Amino acid sequence: MVYVIKVGGNVIDNAVLLDKFLADFAAVPGKKILIHGGGKIATRVGDKLGIESRYVNGRRITDADTIDVVTMVYGGLVNKQIVAKLQAKGCNAIGLTGADANIIPAVKRPVKEIDYGFVGDIPAGNVEAAPIQLLLDAGLTPVFSPLTHNGEGQILNTNADTIASSLAVALGAHYPVRLIYCFEKKGVLRNVEDDDSVINLINRDNYQTLLAEGALADGILPKLENAFAAIDNGVKEVLIGHADDVRKNTTDAVAGTLIC
């Protein structure tokens, strides 16, 4: 089994939570990959440089100045700090972007109603699995920042959830893969006001029932659609759960929501 684990920004932004998460991640046995974000840190660094962050529908507009900031922060500051912390915990990590070894070529998002700037979308089948296999087989743990490239020298800011899903699909052709999304909730909740109302198992059948009942919050729907898309393309399982449960969620005794 290969574990492809994405950790949310609320953990990255909190030094105490991040240290605990990385200790748990380092303790996960076998082959694993980590994907991280770092949006709030990029915003703070941009503010110090006098570069204003702009969002539309919660998505960052990545203009020429902003792509420089996110490249420095995601690919440099955050990524290398995580790698260094993992080394201190006995996990032999290697920091990467999608440009390294041409692992994730992407395309700049077309301009429609909104120009998102230097934002990357990953076409289906565009991830190169072979370099990742070499790293995993050498006992290394890849740590990906949310950056890709367009093959013409341009770095692109790319959604970390999408990178995680794309990596999981590419590796699913070679290994059984569990894709794990770690965030600040215990899983997919039936009632967003009740943190203990976790739905432990979602499949295609009960997903449609839950939708019809209006039991799912709008914010979780994109994650679930990504999860089913990954499963449809060869990923064995997808797990959505709390960052504190990452160690447990790499076992059979899962604590979050298993999608299969």
Side-chain angles (χ1 to χ4, degrees):
M1 178 75 77
V2 172
Y3 299 104
V4 178
I5 299 171
K6 187 265 177 175
V7 61
N10 287 340
V11 177
I12 298 296
D13 294 329
N14 185 308
V16 174
L17 294 180
L18 178 60
D19 192 67
K20 181 186 184 305
F21 171 81
L22 293 178
D24 291 340
F25 176 83
V28 173
K31 294 179 170 63
K32 58 199 175 193
I33 295 172
L34 181 63
I35 303 95
H36 67 81
K40 291 180 182 176
I41 299 172
T43 298
R44 289 199 297 268
V45 171
D47 288 345
K48 290 178 181 178
L49 296 172
I51 298 168
E52 180 185 0
S53 296
R54 294 185 297 121
Y55 296 86
V56 175
N57 299 327
R59 296 176 178 173
R60 186 186 294 272
I61 302 296
T62 309
D63 58 19
D65 288 334
T66 303
I67 192 63
D68 288 347
V69 172
V70 299
T71 300
M72 290 187 290
V73 174
Y74 298 163
L77 179 64
V78 175
N79 187 265
K80 299 315 173 191
Q81 284 182 340
I82 288 174
V83 168
K85 290 177 186 296
L86 286 173
Q87 296 293 357
K89 299 178 190 305
C91 176
N92 196 6
I94 180 169
L96 298 166
T97 71
D100 294 294
N102 197 34
I103 293 172
I104 314 177
V107 296
K108 184 175 178 293
R109 183 169 298 168
V111 177
K112 296 181 180 177
E113 295 86 2
I114 300 164
D115 183 358
Y116 285 102
F118 295 103
V119 167
D121 293 322
I122 306 170
N126 243 39
V127 175
E128 295 287 340
I132 308 172
Q133 289 178 271
L134 288 173
L135 295 172
L136 293 172
D137 290 344
L140 294 168
T141 296
V143 177
F144 279 90
S145 59
L147 300 169
T148 59
H149 75 127
N150 70 349
E152 298 176 357
Q154 178 63 57
I155 291 285
L156 298 169
N157 183 15
T158 304
N159 181 272
D161 283 357
T162 303
I163 287 178
S165 177
S166 298
L167 288 168
V169 167
L171 291 169
H174 308 280
Y175 310 93
V177 171
R178 179 180 289 181
L179 170 60
I180 303 174
Y181 289 111
C182 296
F183 69 148
E184 68 278 5
K185 299 292 184 182
K186 294 180 180 179
V188 179
L189 304 179
R190 185 176 287 274
N191 177 3
V192 293
E193 303 300 325
D194 180 2
D195 283 347
D196 293 320
S197 64
V198 177
I199 303 167
N200 296 116
L201 181 68
I202 296 179
N203 55 33
R204 283 287 188 189
D205 291 338
N206 71 353
Y207 179 50
Q208 294 304 320
T209 302
L210 290 164
L211 283 176
E213 293 173 350
L216 301 172
D218 290 345
I220 202 68
L221 296 180
K223 271 188 170 57
L224 289 170
E225 289 298 333
N226 274 340
F228 282 117
I231 288 169
D232 290 344
N233 285 281
V235 174
K236 186 168 185 270
E237 299 166 332
V238 182
L239 194 287
I240 298 174
H242 200 287
D244 286 349
D245 295 322
V246 65
R247 183 70 186 87
K248 188 173 185 179
N249 285 336
T250 58
T251 69
D252 291 334
V254 298
T257 301
L258 189 66
I259 296 128
C260 59

